[in-house]
């Protein structure tokens, strides 16, 4: 087994549990100050380890984000840019490097790369997955609409089809516990639990249904007039009346962000239960001291922020995620970790923690020594590139590139006759006052545009991935809801200005 030089962070190869939650926004935990949600096991992880307060995904969409976690690469390099196309078989996943270091590995849950592909994948000795989005319950009860790629085919367990029997979050947890109990105790293990929860359509476990029925939506939904005053781009204002907007959410006549949010919070409770069950196993088996436990969201989710629902955009509610890490004796307990990290950093970090060979073509970097407090820190001037590529399936959101992670956020839309965006997150955390045309910020905009292109150039981001059309298309608007936004006022003039 390959080991790094002995230090506080690299004594013996640790076991690793990585739990990924679908669509978990950064502020939806008790420890994050949420007004009513109960997440005692997530809160305990934060208190006993580290809560990373500046964790982002570099593409806020299920498949691209998951591919970035596995490869350490931006989407323009791994080229998984939607939920319908598979990963290039030539790409290396970080669990393959763990196998080289002597780890036994298991994947349990939502794969969701390549449409309905759920075949066993490289890097994993044990495999349990389901096609597409799967389903919360095998009989479909509790749902109000069937989302694209919903399937009822059960699980692929090491190549064999096995029916689903119960609530999916609980059943995946049971499968994880069973593998842990049957593993080879002479080898370190890597367990990747990838939950379907809390993806829409949000269906809580029966034991949690209705718990938050009386709770208000703790998110201020701006009016169309608010969005106009905030100088938001035309495309954002138009998306308000679309499948991913509050005026015509999922193209349902009676869509309510408040109702969906309450069900979302209730669905998250079973994920917290899952963390508790896994932790109880570690305690019972005496494995807690030498196990690195990581919890993360694959992207955030909007519930009326900017008049939008869903994800894909570069705003905080969409791109910022929860990230918790605990390893007693290695990661200092309690203090919040404020270094900027991205999903592209997960693989490099876990590989360094394990003393495994690094990924050769990663865009991300390890923050293992920094989070362990070994006189190292994440670059305070670091920026992350955010990228999202337009999908014909969901034509409401354009191709976006952004510089994220600091006080200032710069967002550049591509292929649209529209304005770009600049936000001061310190004074405008809701990102509702677009400063892109304010004269005193002109130099800042130019500098951040230069930074954006530097990030692209240094990571070979010179091409936009173009893939053939797949899946259904949802271009609908409601004829009676908010009307089309006008062109930006700054584009109107009666002559070309003198230069």
């Amino acid at each position: 087994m390959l080991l790094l030089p002995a230090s506080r962070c690299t004594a013996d190869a640790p076991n690793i549990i990585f739990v990924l939650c679908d669509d978990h926004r950064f502020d939806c935990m008790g420890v994050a100050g949420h007004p009513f949600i109960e997440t005692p096991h997530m809160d305990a992880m934060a208190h006993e380890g580290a809560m990373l307060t500046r964790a982002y995904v570099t593409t806020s969409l299920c498949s691209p984000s998951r591919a970035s976690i596995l490869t350490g690469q931006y989407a323009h390099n791994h080229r998984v840019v939607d939920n319908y196309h598979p990963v290039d078989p030539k790409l290396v996943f970080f669990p393959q490097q763990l196998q080289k270091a002597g780890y036994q590995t298991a994947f349990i849950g939502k794969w969701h790369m390549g449409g309905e592909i759920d075949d066993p994948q490289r890097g994993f000795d044990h495999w349990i997955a389901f096609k597409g989005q799967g389903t919360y319950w095998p009989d479909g009860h509790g749902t109000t609409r069937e989302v694209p790629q919903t399937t009822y085919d059960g699980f692929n367990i090491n190549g064999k089809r096995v029916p689903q029997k119960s609530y999916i979050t609980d059943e995946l947890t049971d499968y994880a516990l069973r593998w842990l109990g049957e593993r080879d105790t002479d080898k370190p293990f890597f367990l990747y639990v990838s939950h379907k929860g809390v993806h829409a359509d949000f269906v809580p476990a029966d034991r949690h249904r209705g718990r938050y029925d009386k709770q208000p939506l703790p998110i201020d939904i701006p009016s169309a007039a608010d969005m106009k005053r905030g100088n938001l781009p035309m495309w954002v204002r138009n998306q308000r009346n679309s499948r991913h907007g509050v005026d015509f959410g999922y193209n349902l006549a009676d869509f309510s962000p408040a109702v969906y949010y309450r069900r979302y919070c209730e669905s998250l409770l079973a994920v917290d239960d899952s963390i508790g069950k896994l932790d109880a196993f570690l305690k019972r088996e005496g494995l807690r001291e030498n196990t690195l436990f990581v919890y993360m969201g694959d992207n955030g989710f909007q519930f009326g922020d900017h008049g939008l629902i869903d994800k894909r955009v570069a705003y905080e509610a969409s791109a910022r995620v929860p990230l918790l890490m605990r390893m007693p004796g290695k990661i200092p307990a309690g203090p919040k970790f404020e270094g900027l990290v991205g999903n592209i950093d997960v693989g490099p970090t876990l590989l360094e923690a394990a003393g495994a060979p690094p990924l050769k073509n990663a865009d991300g970097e390890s923050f293992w020594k920094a989070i362990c407090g070994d006189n190292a820190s994440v670059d305070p001037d670091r920026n992350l590139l955010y990228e999202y590529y337009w999908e014909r399936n969901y034509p409401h959101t354009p191709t976006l590139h952004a510089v994220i992670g600091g006080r200032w956020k710069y967002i550049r839309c591509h292929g649209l006759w529209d304005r770009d965006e600049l936000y001061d997150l310190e004074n405008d955390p809701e990102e509702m006052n677009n400063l892109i045309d304010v004269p005193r910020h002109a130099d800042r905009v130019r500098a951040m545009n230069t930074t954006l292109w530097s990030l692209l150039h240094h990571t070979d981001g010179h091409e936009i991935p173009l893939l053939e059309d797949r899946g259904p298309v949802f271009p609908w608007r409601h004829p009676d809801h908010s009307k089309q936004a006008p062109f930006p006022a700054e584009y109107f003039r009666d002559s070309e200005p003198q230069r």
Side-chain angles (χ1 to χ4, degrees), residues 27-37 218 261 265:
D27 57 2
C28 210
M29 296 184 294
V31 71
H34 194 276
F36 60 80
I37 197 166
Y261 186 79
C265 291

Side-chain angles (χ1 to χ4, degrees), residues 52 323 325 337 341 345 349 365-371 378:
L52 291 83
L323 180 55
M325 298 180 68
F337 184 79
V341 300
D345 302 326
T349 299
E365 55 193 48
S366 173
F367 57 87
W368 178 239
K369 289 185 174 65
I371 201 168
V378 175

Side-chain angles (χ1 to χ4, degrees), residues 144 217 219 278 342 399 418 421 459 478:
T144 57
L217 179 68
I219 296 166
L278 292 169
T399 292
D418 208 341
E421 298 167 85
T459 59
H478 196 288

Side-chain angles (χ1 to χ4, degrees), residues 74-81 385 387-389 399 401 414 453 455-457 459-467:
Y74 284 120
H76 63 254
N77 282 327
H78 62 61
R79 303 184 78 82
V80 178
V81 296
L385 170 70
E387 57 186 342
Y388 167 80
Y389 296 99
T399 292
H401 290 91
H414 185 84
W453 284 103
L455 287 166
L456 284 165
H457 287 316
T459 59
D460 296 322
H462 305 103
E463 298 179 1
I464 292 179
L466 184 62
L467 302 173

Side-chain angles (χ1 to χ4, degrees), residues 25 275 346:
R25 55 185 281 159
I275 293 171
V346 170

